[in-house]
Amino acid sequence: MNEKELWKKVLQKLEPLIKKQYFVTWFQNTAITLKEEGVVTIGVPTAFARDWISNRYNVKILQALQELDDEVVDINYEVVPSLTEDDHRKVNIFSFLTKSKKKVRKVAKKKEVHVTTSSGQKIRSKMLNPKYSLDNFVVGKENRLAHAACMAVATNPGQSYNPLFIYGGVGLGKTHLLQGTGNYMIAEDENRVVIYITAERFMTELIECIQKRTVSKFKDKYRNVDCLILDDVQFLAVSEKSQEELFHTFNDLYDSNKQIILSSDRPPKELKGLADRLKSRFEMGMMVDVLAPDYETRLAILKAKCRLHEVILVPEVLDFIAYNVQNSVRELEGVLLQAIAHAQLENSTPTIRTVGSIIKKLNKDSELNDYTDKFNSKRVVRTSDEVLDIVSNYFRIDKGEIIGSSRQRQFMVPRQIAMYLIRKELDLPYETIGQEFGNRNHTTVMHACEAVIKKMKKDEKLVRDLNSIKNEMGM
Ligand code: ADP
Ligand code: MG
């Protein structure tokens, strides 16, 4: 069995164990690049991919390899950027993925909601997006009540609060809650008919039906549902005719105990151009607001999104984002995803500095809090003490331990890196550096710098660490 065949067999073993989307993301551009004396070297396209794969799948890969070839004792990873392009060593994972892909599509189809009209005609409703669930909604004090109300409605549609009216600013999770509620209802009973539609779209559809004189079709469609979800009702058109139609639809559903869920950016009272009788209908069930999340909730949301996207960020960076992105969850998510993408491109981990510039770009006029001066102005590190601060912070160890004499690897490596950076970036003499590191001899510093330079040639993680630290230093 050659290396390519071996890797293909390994991937075929892994494939059923890993969620499809992750499998494709992480393994499509991988290959065995070397097999020597029982050590298999796996080529991956980026340092980022290497970290994820080795952190999460190392054991599974080794097991699979050993089942296929009992000579294998260990694995290594190597970053080979050219693997993103055509590379003859790569395995075409899609050749054995196809079957399961079809299956996925079938399941998804089943989830589509169909509404049968009295004339027996099937109309596909607006699909609910399965990515929104009540489970993956992070609950904090600002949205606790809204989430609880949705939960009550989802488990007892038409019985608890009708209508349920959720209001609050943009990007605070209204659509997520509405869709999550719909998804819950369908998961409980697949025969339930749930329609999710934005108010704007609802009105356009209605107006079209009025023009084409097919209002009865419209009535059939919307009055035969178990739950009607109307998102963003602040965009309901002002036309009298359409409001009247909505009013009747509302009454019919309500009278037959069908659930109605509405969302808006403001409470019903403040909806302009809406007939009073509609406003009072909207108000007669449960009204609940969602507020902008506070720091704690923002941090919890960021952590949840990191789990969802299977990424790990250092606590300081999460903190920094939570501290600075305050207005909406959508923005919070946006910054996080950009930071991840950025890090992938630059082959480094997201740092406060990179995240800071992403936030700045998004909100040109807002000032960053707290870390602004320290990290975001074009400040360049000038003293060895500052380098020590950054390096110790990066590796989460005490400054004293970098300067100290412990020969444990966790202190040795940061110490060498700090010496190397002070020498290279600040250009201090070896003697001076030695003095700053507990009066060491200048040859010790020289050796440390040489060791770093030598290691950089084969240690991708070291290069990535250096890149990130230099970034923090403003280099
Ligand atoms: P709105 O409809 O209020 O404008 P969305 O529901 O579209 O806001 O939310 C924007 C983004 O933020 C979505 O991706 C959503 O999943 C996410 N989001 C908002 N609130 C939460 C939360 N509490 N937990 C998890 N994700 C959230
Ligand atoms: Mg929305």
Side-chain angles (χ1 to χ4, degrees), residues 342-371:
H342 215 82
Q344 273 174 326
L345 279 175
E346 300 223 318
N347 202 11
S348 65
T349 49
T351 62
I352 287 174
R353 208 182 159 77
T354 47
V355 169
S357 60
I358 291 169
I359 299 173
K360 271 243 153 128
K361 256 181 232 147
L362 283 178
N363 300 327
K364 286 200 184 65
D365 33 43
S366 83
E367 275 302 307
L368 289 174
N369 293 310
D370 191 20
Y371 300 79

PDB file of all heavy atoms in Angstrom, residues 342-371:
ATOM      1  N   HIS A 342      -8.760  36.001   9.750  1.00  0.00           N
ATOM      2  CA  HIS A 342      -7.525  36.760   9.718  1.00  0.00           C
ATOM      3  C   HIS A 342      -6.349  35.904  10.176  1.00  0.00           C
ATOM      4  O   HIS A 342      -5.302  35.859   9.543  1.00  0.00           O
ATOM      5  CB  HIS A 342      -7.688  37.929  10.692  1.00  0.00           C
ATOM      6  CG  HIS A 342      -7.004  39.157  10.243  1.00  0.00           C
ATOM      7  ND1 HIS A 342      -7.573  40.010   9.340  1.00  0.00           N
ATOM      8  CD2 HIS A 342      -5.803  39.672  10.567  1.00  0.00           C
ATOM      9  CE1 HIS A 342      -6.753  41.010   9.143  1.00  0.00           C
ATOM     10  NE2 HIS A 342      -5.670  40.834   9.864  1.00  0.00           N
ATOM     11  N   ALA A 343      -6.566  35.248  11.305  1.00  0.00           N
ATOM     12  CA  ALA A 343      -5.507  34.424  11.880  1.00  0.00           C
ATOM     13  C   ALA A 343      -5.131  33.306  10.918  1.00  0.00           C
ATOM     14  O   ALA A 343      -3.955  32.971  10.751  1.00  0.00           O
ATOM     15  CB  ALA A 343      -5.964  33.860  13.208  1.00  0.00           C
ATOM     16  N   GLN A 344      -6.136  32.740  10.262  1.00  0.00           N
ATOM     17  CA  GLN A 344      -5.858  31.658   9.311  1.00  0.00           C
ATOM     18  C   GLN A 344      -4.977  32.155   8.172  1.00  0.00           C
ATOM     19  O   GLN A 344      -4.029  31.505   7.777  1.00  0.00           O
ATOM     20  CB  GLN A 344      -7.163  31.100   8.751  1.00  0.00           C
ATOM     21  CG  GLN A 344      -7.722  30.018   9.642  1.00  0.00           C
ATOM     22  CD  GLN A 344      -9.078  29.548   9.192  1.00  0.00           C
ATOM     23  OE1 GLN A 344      -9.888  30.315   8.680  1.00  0.00           O
ATOM     24  NE2 GLN A 344      -9.368  28.273   9.403  1.00  0.00           N
ATOM     25  N   LEU A 345      -5.310  33.353   7.692  1.00  0.00           N
ATOM     26  CA  LEU A 345      -4.544  33.909   6.584  1.00  0.00           C
ATOM     27  C   LEU A 345      -3.122  34.241   6.990  1.00  0.00           C
ATOM     28  O   LEU A 345      -2.177  34.017   6.253  1.00  0.00           O
ATOM     29  CB  LEU A 345      -5.207  35.200   6.090  1.00  0.00           C
ATOM     30  CG  LEU A 345      -6.388  35.031   5.157  1.00  0.00           C
ATOM     31  CD1 LEU A 345      -6.995  36.385   4.859  1.00  0.00           C
ATOM     32  CD2 LEU A 345      -5.940  34.363   3.867  1.00  0.00           C
ATOM     33  N   GLU A 346      -2.983  34.791   8.175  1.00  0.00           N
ATOM     34  CA  GLU A 346      -1.671  35.288   8.592  1.00  0.00           C
ATOM     35  C   GLU A 346      -0.846  34.244   9.294  1.00  0.00           C
ATOM     36  O   GLU A 346       0.259  34.525   9.746  1.00  0.00           O
ATOM     37  CB  GLU A 346      -1.858  36.479   9.523  1.00  0.00           C
ATOM     38  CG  GLU A 346      -2.590  37.602   8.860  1.00  0.00           C
ATOM     39  CD  GLU A 346      -1.973  38.922   9.169  1.00  0.00           C
ATOM     40  OE1 GLU A 346      -1.607  39.137  10.332  1.00  0.00           O
ATOM     41  OE2 GLU A 346      -1.853  39.730   8.239  1.00  0.00           O
ATOM     42  N   ASN A 347      -1.431  33.068   9.449  1.00  0.00           N
ATOM     43  CA  ASN A 347      -0.697  32.003  10.105  1.00  0.00           C
ATOM     44  C   ASN A 347      -0.276  32.399  11.524  1.00  0.00           C
ATOM     45  O   ASN A 347       0.861  32.206  11.925  1.00  0.00           O
ATOM     46  CB  ASN A 347       0.535  31.661   9.260  1.00  0.00           C
ATOM     47  CG  ASN A 347       1.025  30.270   9.572  1.00  0.00           C
ATOM     48  OD1 ASN A 347       0.331  29.522  10.258  1.00  0.00           O
ATOM     49  ND2 ASN A 347       2.193  29.925   9.117  1.00  0.00           N
ATOM     50  N   SER A 348      -1.198  33.001  12.238  1.00  0.00           N
ATOM     51  CA  SER A 348      -0.913  33.339  13.629  1.00  0.00           C
ATOM     52  C   SER A 348      -2.214  33.191  14.415  1.00  0.00           C
ATOM     53  O   SER A 348      -3.267  33.017  13.829  1.00  0.00           O
ATOM     54  CB  SER A 348      -0.400  34.770  13.745  1.00  0.00           C
ATOM     55  OG  SER A 348      -1.410  35.666  13.357  1.00  0.00           O
ATOM     56  N   THR A 349      -2.131  33.247  15.731  1.00  0.00           N
ATOM     57  CA  THR A 349      -3.375  33.205  16.499  1.00  0.00           C
ATOM     58  C   THR A 349      -3.904  34.622  16.630  1.00  0.00           C
ATOM     59  O   THR A 349      -3.131  35.571  16.646  1.00  0.00           O
ATOM     60  CB  THR A 349      -3.153  32.632  17.907  1.00  0.00           C
ATOM     61  OG1 THR A 349      -2.033  33.313  18.462  1.00  0.00           O
ATOM     62  CG2 THR A 349      -2.902  31.151  17.882  1.00  0.00           C
ATOM     63  N   PRO A 350      -5.243  34.781  16.742  1.00  0.00           N
ATOM     64  CA  PRO A 350      -5.762  36.137  16.882  1.00  0.00           C
ATOM     65  C   PRO A 350      -5.190  36.804  18.135  1.00  0.00           C
ATOM     66  O   PRO A 350      -5.156  36.203  19.194  1.00  0.00           O
ATOM     67  CB  PRO A 350      -7.267  35.919  17.031  1.00  0.00           C
ATOM     68  CG  PRO A 350      -7.531  34.610  16.391  1.00  0.00           C
ATOM     69  CD  PRO A 350      -6.308  33.786  16.671  1.00  0.00           C
ATOM     70  N   THR A 351      -4.721  38.034  17.973  1.00  0.00           N
ATOM     71  CA  THR A 351      -4.198  38.775  19.114  1.00  0.00           C
ATOM     72  C   THR A 351      -5.083  39.990  19.342  1.00  0.00           C
ATOM     73  O   THR A 351      -5.898  40.352  18.487  1.00  0.00           O
ATOM     74  CB  THR A 351      -2.778  39.292  18.824  1.00  0.00           C
ATOM     75  OG1 THR A 351      -2.863  40.183  17.707  1.00  0.00           O
ATOM     76  CG2 THR A 351      -1.833  38.164  18.486  1.00  0.00           C
ATOM     77  N   ILE A 352      -4.889  40.603  20.493  1.00  0.00           N
ATOM     78  CA  ILE A 352      -5.658  41.800  20.812  1.00  0.00           C
ATOM     79  C   ILE A 352      -5.459  42.858  19.741  1.00  0.00           C
ATOM     80  O   ILE A 352      -6.377  43.547  19.329  1.00  0.00           O
ATOM     81  CB  ILE A 352      -5.225  42.325  22.192  1.00  0.00           C
ATOM     82  CG1 ILE A 352      -5.777  41.379  23.258  1.00  0.00           C
ATOM     83  CG2 ILE A 352      -5.705  43.746  22.422  1.00  0.00           C
ATOM     84  CD1 ILE A 352      -5.323  41.671  24.640  1.00  0.00           C
ATOM     85  N   ARG A 353      -4.238  42.920  19.262  1.00  0.00           N
ATOM     86  CA  ARG A 353      -3.924  43.913  18.244  1.00  0.00           C
ATOM     87  C   ARG A 353      -4.713  43.705  16.952  1.00  0.00           C
ATOM     88  O   ARG A 353      -5.330  44.636  16.431  1.00  0.00           O
ATOM     89  CB  ARG A 353      -2.434  43.826  17.958  1.00  0.00           C
ATOM     90  CG  ARG A 353      -1.846  45.087  17.502  1.00  0.00           C
ATOM     91  CD  ARG A 353      -0.384  44.892  17.197  1.00  0.00           C
ATOM     92  NE  ARG A 353      -0.037  45.970  16.311  1.00  0.00           N
ATOM     93  CZ  ARG A 353       0.149  47.204  16.742  1.00  0.00           C
ATOM     94  NH1 ARG A 353       0.017  47.487  18.012  1.00  0.00           N
ATOM     95  NH2 ARG A 353       0.440  48.154  15.874  1.00  0.00           N
ATOM     96  N   THR A 354      -4.717  42.459  16.465  1.00  0.00           N
ATOM     97  CA  THR A 354      -5.442  42.225  15.210  1.00  0.00           C
ATOM     98  C   THR A 354      -6.936  42.433  15.424  1.00  0.00           C
ATOM     99  O   THR A 354      -7.609  43.047  14.601  1.00  0.00           O
ATOM    100  CB  THR A 354      -5.205  40.805  14.661  1.00  0.00           C
ATOM    101  OG1 THR A 354      -5.356  39.864  15.712  1.00  0.00           O
ATOM    102  CG2 THR A 354      -3.848  40.658  14.041  1.00  0.00           C
ATOM    103  N   VAL A 355      -7.444  41.940  16.545  1.00  0.00           N
ATOM    104  CA  VAL A 355      -8.867  42.098  16.816  1.00  0.00           C
ATOM    105  C   VAL A 355      -9.214  43.580  16.937  1.00  0.00           C
ATOM    106  O   VAL A 355     -10.221  44.042  16.423  1.00  0.00           O
ATOM    107  CB  VAL A 355      -9.254  41.331  18.102  1.00  0.00           C
ATOM    108  CG1 VAL A 355     -10.653  41.695  18.531  1.00  0.00           C
ATOM    109  CG2 VAL A 355      -9.144  39.838  17.870  1.00  0.00           C
ATOM    110  N   GLY A 356      -8.311  44.326  17.581  1.00  0.00           N
ATOM    111  CA  GLY A 356      -8.524  45.759  17.727  1.00  0.00           C
ATOM    112  C   GLY A 356      -8.677  46.442  16.386  1.00  0.00           C
ATOM    113  O   GLY A 356      -9.570  47.260  16.188  1.00  0.00           O
ATOM    114  N   SER A 357      -7.829  46.050  15.427  1.00  0.00           N
ATOM    115  CA  SER A 357      -7.936  46.753  14.144  1.00  0.00           C
ATOM    116  C   SER A 357      -9.182  46.313  13.377  1.00  0.00           C
ATOM    117  O   SER A 357      -9.750  47.094  12.628  1.00  0.00           O
ATOM    118  CB  SER A 357      -6.659  46.585  13.320  1.00  0.00           C
ATOM    119  OG  SER A 357      -6.425  45.242  13.062  1.00  0.00           O
ATOM    120  N   ILE A 358      -9.624  45.082  13.600  1.00  0.00           N
ATOM    121  CA  ILE A 358     -10.876  44.652  12.956  1.00  0.00           C
ATOM    122  C   ILE A 358     -12.050  45.474  13.486  1.00  0.00           C
ATOM    123  O   ILE A 358     -12.873  45.980  12.725  1.00  0.00           O
ATOM    124  CB  ILE A 358     -11.131  43.145  13.217  1.00  0.00           C
ATOM    125  CG1 ILE A 358     -10.107  42.309  12.458  1.00  0.00           C
ATOM    126  CG2 ILE A 358     -12.551  42.750  12.809  1.00  0.00           C
ATOM    127  CD1 ILE A 358     -10.094  40.850  12.847  1.00  0.00           C
ATOM    128  N   ILE A 359     -12.083  45.642  14.805  1.00  0.00           N
ATOM    129  CA  ILE A 359     -13.181  46.414  15.395  1.00  0.00           C
ATOM    130  C   ILE A 359     -13.130  47.858  14.894  1.00  0.00           C
ATOM    131  O   ILE A 359     -14.149  48.449  14.547  1.00  0.00           O
ATOM    132  CB  ILE A 359     -13.108  46.380  16.933  1.00  0.00           C
ATOM    133  CG1 ILE A 359     -13.227  44.939  17.434  1.00  0.00           C
ATOM    134  CG2 ILE A 359     -14.212  47.241  17.550  1.00  0.00           C
ATOM    135  CD1 ILE A 359     -13.012  44.774  18.912  1.00  0.00           C
ATOM    136  N   LYS A 360     -11.927  48.377  14.841  1.00  0.00           N
ATOM    137  CA  LYS A 360     -11.768  49.762  14.366  1.00  0.00           C
ATOM    138  C   LYS A 360     -12.319  49.922  12.963  1.00  0.00           C
ATOM    139  O   LYS A 360     -12.995  50.885  12.645  1.00  0.00           O
ATOM    140  CB  LYS A 360     -10.288  50.142  14.383  1.00  0.00           C
ATOM    141  CG  LYS A 360      -9.870  50.727  15.694  1.00  0.00           C
ATOM    142  CD  LYS A 360      -9.419  52.162  15.476  1.00  0.00           C
ATOM    143  CE  LYS A 360      -9.626  52.969  16.718  1.00  0.00           C
ATOM    144  NZ  LYS A 360      -8.426  53.669  17.133  1.00  0.00           N
ATOM    145  N   LYS A 361     -11.998  48.950  12.112  1.00  0.00           N
ATOM    146  CA  LYS A 361     -12.450  49.031  10.725  1.00  0.00           C
ATOM    147  C   LYS A 361     -13.968  48.998  10.649  1.00  0.00           C
ATOM    148  O   LYS A 361     -14.584  49.659   9.826  1.00  0.00           O
ATOM    149  CB  LYS A 361     -11.859  47.879   9.916  1.00  0.00           C
ATOM    150  CG  LYS A 361     -10.716  48.340   9.032  1.00  0.00           C
ATOM    151  CD  LYS A 361     -10.162  47.185   8.215  1.00  0.00           C
ATOM    152  CE  LYS A 361      -8.666  47.088   8.396  1.00  0.00           C
ATOM    153  NZ  LYS A 361      -8.158  45.739   8.348  1.00  0.00           N
ATOM    154  N   LEU A 362     -14.575  48.164  11.508  1.00  0.00           N
ATOM    155  CA  LEU A 362     -16.033  48.036  11.477  1.00  0.00           C
ATOM    156  C   LEU A 362     -16.725  49.317  11.942  1.00  0.00           C
ATOM    157  O   LEU A 362     -17.715  49.752  11.388  1.00  0.00           O
ATOM    158  CB  LEU A 362     -16.481  46.863  12.350  1.00  0.00           C
ATOM    159  CG  LEU A 362     -16.289  45.474  11.746  1.00  0.00           C
ATOM    160  CD1 LEU A 362     -16.729  44.412  12.723  1.00  0.00           C
ATOM    161  CD2 LEU A 362     -17.063  45.341  10.439  1.00  0.00           C
ATOM    162  N   ASN A 363     -16.184  49.895  13.012  1.00  0.00           N
ATOM    163  CA  ASN A 363     -16.798  51.113  13.562  1.00  0.00           C
ATOM    164  C   ASN A 363     -15.812  52.233  13.475  1.00  0.00           C
ATOM    165  O   ASN A 363     -15.130  52.512  14.446  1.00  0.00           O
ATOM    166  CB  ASN A 363     -17.092  50.967  15.054  1.00  0.00           C
ATOM    167  CG  ASN A 363     -18.024  49.860  15.322  1.00  0.00           C
ATOM    168  OD1 ASN A 363     -18.880  49.588  14.519  1.00  0.00           O
ATOM    169  ND2 ASN A 363     -17.848  49.243  16.468  1.00  0.00           N
ATOM    170  N   LYS A 364     -15.777  52.869  12.355  1.00  0.00           N
ATOM    171  CA  LYS A 364     -14.713  53.845  12.143  1.00  0.00           C
ATOM    172  C   LYS A 364     -14.678  54.925  13.211  1.00  0.00           C
ATOM    173  O   LYS A 364     -13.632  55.374  13.616  1.00  0.00           O
ATOM    174  CB  LYS A 364     -14.846  54.456  10.754  1.00  0.00           C
ATOM    175  CG  LYS A 364     -14.408  53.463   9.713  1.00  0.00           C
ATOM    176  CD  LYS A 364     -14.065  54.128   8.403  1.00  0.00           C
ATOM    177  CE  LYS A 364     -13.718  53.110   7.345  1.00  0.00           C
ATOM    178  NZ  LYS A 364     -14.853  52.258   6.980  1.00  0.00           N
ATOM    179  N   ASP A 365     -15.885  55.281  13.721  1.00  0.00           N
ATOM    180  CA  ASP A 365     -15.847  56.427  14.637  1.00  0.00           C
ATOM    181  C   ASP A 365     -15.817  56.068  16.116  1.00  0.00           C
ATOM    182  O   ASP A 365     -15.647  56.931  16.955  1.00  0.00           O
ATOM    183  CB  ASP A 365     -17.015  57.381  14.346  1.00  0.00           C
ATOM    184  CG  ASP A 365     -18.237  56.637  13.862  1.00  0.00           C
ATOM    185  OD1 ASP A 365     -18.545  55.576  14.437  1.00  0.00           O
ATOM    186  OD2 ASP A 365     -18.855  57.094  12.911  1.00  0.00           O
ATOM    187  N   SER A 366     -15.967  54.783  16.423  1.00  0.00           N
ATOM    188  CA  SER A 366     -16.008  54.491  17.854  1.00  0.00           C
ATOM    189  C   SER A 366     -14.611  54.289  18.411  1.00  0.00           C
ATOM    190  O   SER A 366     -13.728  53.760  17.756  1.00  0.00           O
ATOM    191  CB  SER A 366     -16.854  53.254  18.111  1.00  0.00           C
ATOM    192  OG  SER A 366     -16.079  52.112  17.915  1.00  0.00           O
ATOM    193  N   GLU A 367     -14.436  54.723  19.617  1.00  0.00           N
ATOM    194  CA  GLU A 367     -13.148  54.581  20.271  1.00  0.00           C
ATOM    195  C   GLU A 367     -13.105  53.245  21.002  1.00  0.00           C
ATOM    196  O   GLU A 367     -14.088  52.817  21.591  1.00  0.00           O
ATOM    197  CB  GLU A 367     -12.964  55.707  21.283  1.00  0.00           C
ATOM    198  CG  GLU A 367     -12.423  56.982  20.655  1.00  0.00           C
ATOM    199  CD  GLU A 367     -11.092  56.758  19.948  1.00  0.00           C
ATOM    200  OE1 GLU A 367     -10.176  56.218  20.581  1.00  0.00           O
ATOM    201  OE2 GLU A 367     -10.996  57.104  18.754  1.00  0.00           O
ATOM    202  N   LEU A 368     -11.970  52.599  20.970  1.00  0.00           N
ATOM    203  CA  LEU A 368     -11.862  51.344  21.700  1.00  0.00           C
ATOM    204  C   LEU A 368     -11.659  51.610  23.177  1.00  0.00           C
ATOM    205  O   LEU A 368     -11.010  52.569  23.565  1.00  0.00           O
ATOM    206  CB  LEU A 368     -10.665  50.547  21.175  1.00  0.00           C
ATOM    207  CG  LEU A 368     -10.860  49.967  19.788  1.00  0.00           C
ATOM    208  CD1 LEU A 368      -9.581  49.324  19.308  1.00  0.00           C
ATOM    209  CD2 LEU A 368     -11.972  48.931  19.811  1.00  0.00           C
ATOM    210  N   ASN A 369     -12.214  50.750  23.989  1.00  0.00           N
ATOM    211  CA  ASN A 369     -12.071  50.919  25.429  1.00  0.00           C
ATOM    212  C   ASN A 369     -10.836  50.214  25.945  1.00  0.00           C
ATOM    213  O   ASN A 369     -10.338  49.279  25.352  1.00  0.00           O
ATOM    214  CB  ASN A 369     -13.283  50.318  26.128  1.00  0.00           C
ATOM    215  CG  ASN A 369     -14.522  51.098  25.831  1.00  0.00           C
ATOM    216  OD1 ASN A 369     -14.527  52.310  25.972  1.00  0.00           O
ATOM    217  ND2 ASN A 369     -15.551  50.415  25.386  1.00  0.00           N
ATOM    218  N   ASP A 370     -10.439  50.659  27.089  1.00  0.00           N
ATOM    219  CA  ASP A 370      -9.430  49.983  27.878  1.00  0.00           C
ATOM    220  C   ASP A 370      -8.092  49.790  27.186  1.00  0.00           C
ATOM    221  O   ASP A 370      -7.184  50.580  27.352  1.00  0.00           O
ATOM    222  CB  ASP A 370      -9.985  48.625  28.343  1.00  0.00           C
ATOM    223  CG  ASP A 370      -9.070  48.011  29.379  1.00  0.00           C
ATOM    224  OD1 ASP A 370      -8.281  48.752  29.989  1.00  0.00           O
ATOM    225  OD2 ASP A 370      -9.126  46.799  29.565  1.00  0.00           O
ATOM    226  N   TYR A 371      -8.014  48.786  26.343  1.00  0.00           N
ATOM    227  CA  TYR A 371      -6.730  48.417  25.786  1.00  0.00           C
ATOM    228  C   TYR A 371      -6.238  49.397  24.715  1.00  0.00           C
ATOM    229  O   TYR A 371      -5.147  49.256  24.214  1.00  0.00           O
ATOM    230  CB  TYR A 371      -6.805  47.039  25.141  1.00  0.00           C
ATOM    231  CG  TYR A 371      -7.189  45.932  26.073  1.00  0.00           C
ATOM    232  CD1 TYR A 371      -8.517  45.752  26.431  1.00  0.00           C
ATOM    233  CD2 TYR A 371      -6.243  45.055  26.588  1.00  0.00           C
ATOM    234  CE1 TYR A 371      -8.889  44.731  27.274  1.00  0.00           C
ATOM    235  CE2 TYR A 371      -6.608  44.030  27.432  1.00  0.00           C
ATOM    236  CZ  TYR A 371      -7.932  43.865  27.774  1.00  0.00           C
ATOM    237  OH  TYR A 371      -8.287  42.862  28.604  1.00  0.00           O
TER     238      TYR A 371
END
